[in-house]
Amino acid sequence: SLQDKNALHLYSVNGKYLGSETLKEEVSDLCVTSEYIVMGSLQGFLSIRDLYSLSLSISPLAMRLPIHCISVTKEYSHILVGLEDGKLIIVGVGKPAEV
């Protein structure tokens, strides 16, 4: 964060710079899966980005409270979101019929 500007930078395992994306929110936690970056912000948004292009996979989901922690189940079926007030929100991943 530099003067109210936040960015997500992507590097290869060998340290080669691959790209970056400017963010509107202040990231409080993130979780990296094999294909996606799941991020929570202090502004209360849950964002899912493609790991390689850093573009949004879906529009951010509003949780209405600051997000303190993010976790993805090992089957990648659910996202667990811990909010500032102590609530745990469980978000199903996939098509509505699968969730």
Side-chain angles (χ1 to χ4, degrees):
S1 178
L2 178 63
Q3 297 178 345
D4 297 327
K5 292 184 180 180
N6 299 293
L8 184 64
H9 300 282
L10 181 65
Y11 291 87
S12 72
V13 175
N14 298 327
K16 180 182 176 189
Y17 175 77
L18 300 175
S20 65
E21 186 72 30
T22 303
L23 304 173
K24 295 177 184 175
E25 299 94 26
E26 186 177 349
V27 176
S28 56
D29 194 21
L30 63 84
C31 187
V32 178
T33 67
S34 59
E35 297 179 25
Y36 299 99
I37 301 170
V38 182
M39 299 187 313
S41 71
L42 292 178
Q43 289 73 25
F45 289 100
L46 176 68
S47 304
I48 301 173
R49 293 182 173 270
D50 181 79
L51 180 59
Y52 304 103
S53 68
L54 299 180
S55 62
L56 283 170
S57 296
I58 61 166
S59 58
L61 301 171
M63 297 289 151
R64 299 196 176 130
L65 288 170
I67 295 173
H68 279 252
C69 61
I70 298 281
S71 183
V72 178
T73 60
K74 67 179 182 179
E75 299 86 17
Y76 306 119
S77 60
H78 294 84
I79 300 170
L80 308 175
V81 182
L83 301 180
E84 182 179 54
D85 64 355
K87 290 181 183 171
L88 176 67
I89 305 296
I90 300 172
V91 180
V93 177
K95 298 176 184 168
E98 297 172 355
V99 176

